[in-house]
Amino acid sequence: MKKLLIGLVVLVILVIAGLSYLGFMPFLSGYLAKQVDLGIKADPAFVTAFESKYGTPNGTGKVSLDVTLSSAEVTSIFAVWEERDKHFPLHNVQIRFNPDGTGEASGFLKVSTAISLAKNLGYSDSDIEQGKQYVQYVAGDLPFYVKGTGGMTNNTLSINPSTFQIGRVTVPESITKPVAVAVGDMIERRISQIGGANIQEASFKSGSFRLVGSVPETIKY
């Protein structure tokens, strides 16, 4: 059960992991900057408490959830996921949910690990090779910042980024929209890998993250 909460939040993390597509864009490598500090600190104790409270199967091999998580709790989930999974493509992630219904995320994308993520999600060798040819132009990890709205209702996803930055560069809308579509595909692939996940609601409309649904008792990576 120790990976249960981490598996649940893959729905959120893949939104950010989609930035790996932009990690392959060489013109960005000269404009890197420090991470945007959202003022949210991780505390692994949040994850331990959640797993102790909600990590009990309901007798059907699944765990039912109806939970509301704060910005600090979700940020802590990312921190613990980074520790547990050596292939996790992000680090130093901060998540903030705002009262106006928007969400923000910042951190660093590990470009080399993004290749492993693409393989794990089942993208073709030709797609991966096309991306790898640009990685050589990117020096180090890429700082990112994204703000927007989104969520999932009855396993149907919506993603609406309003601001998208890599380092000091604000990514134009002409690129942001295709990335949102690509991220949707990545999330669908990950749900398929989990098997049996049923997300009735995943939203952050009221300044916190609400999750209603069920997931398998055990999630493997």
Side-chain angles (χ1 to χ4, degrees):
M1 280 301 117
K2 291 211 175 192
K3 289 189 176 180
L4 172 61
L5 180 58
I6 306 306
L8 297 176
V9 183
V10 74
L11 298 175
V12 177
I13 190 65
L14 284 181
V15 173
I16 308 170
L19 300 180
S20 61
Y21 286 98
L22 295 185
F24 301 142
M25 300 179 67
F27 73 86
L28 294 175
S29 60
Y31 295 90
L32 301 186
K34 294 182 179 180
Q35 175 183 357
V36 175
D37 186 359
L38 300 178
I40 308 297
K41 305 300 182 183
D43 183 354
F46 284 136
V47 180
T48 301
F50 181 95
E51 291 173 337
S52 298
K53 184 175 182 179
Y54 296 102
T56 304
N58 59 16
T60 64
K62 295 184 179 180
V63 175
S64 299
L65 292 170
D66 185 345
V67 299
T68 299
L69 302 174
S70 69
S71 300
E73 287 173 318
V74 174
T75 295
S76 300
I77 292 166
F78 284 103
V80 171
W81 193 351
E82 180 183 345
E83 290 181 357
R84 293 177 178 176
D85 186 356
K86 65 180 180 180
H87 298 298
F88 186 62
L90 307 173
H91 68 89
N92 290 350
V93 175
Q94 295 182 40
I95 303 293
R96 185 169 67 194
F97 303 115
N98 302 314
D100 65 357
T102 62
E104 298 174 85
S106 71
F108 291 89
L109 171 71
K110 296 182 283 189
V111 178
S112 59
T113 308
I115 296 295
S116 300
L117 175 65
K119 290 182 178 179
N120 185 51
L121 290 174
Y123 287 95
S124 69
D125 290 340
S126 60
D127 287 339
I128 294 172
E129 288 300 318
Q130 185 176 4
K132 285 172 64 177
Q133 65 180 312
Y134 297 109
V135 174
Q136 60 182 313
Y137 299 106
V138 180
D141 298 338
L142 295 174
F144 67 83
Y145 168 79
V146 61
K147 180 177 182 179
T149 60
M152 178 171 282
T153 302
N154 295 327
N155 298 313
T156 299
L157 177 70
S158 64
I159 303 174
N160 305 292
S162 59
T163 303
F164 186 7
Q165 296 176 345
I166 297 290
R168 296 191 301 268
V169 177
T170 297
V171 179
E173 184 178 0
S174 60
I175 296 177
T176 300
K177 285 187 176 181
V179 168
V181 173
V183 167
D185 180 64
M186 296 176 77
I187 291 175
E188 290 178 1
R189 289 171 185 250
R190 184 54 177 146
I191 291 176
S192 177
Q193 287 179 340
I194 290 175
N198 179 28
I199 307 302
Q200 300 170 29
E201 179 186 353
S203 65
F204 46 90
K205 298 177 182 178
S206 58
S208 57
F209 181 68
R210 176 85 187 284
L211 178 64
V212 181
S214 62
V215 296
E217 175 183 351
T218 302
I219 296 174
K220 297 182 179 180
Y221 293 89

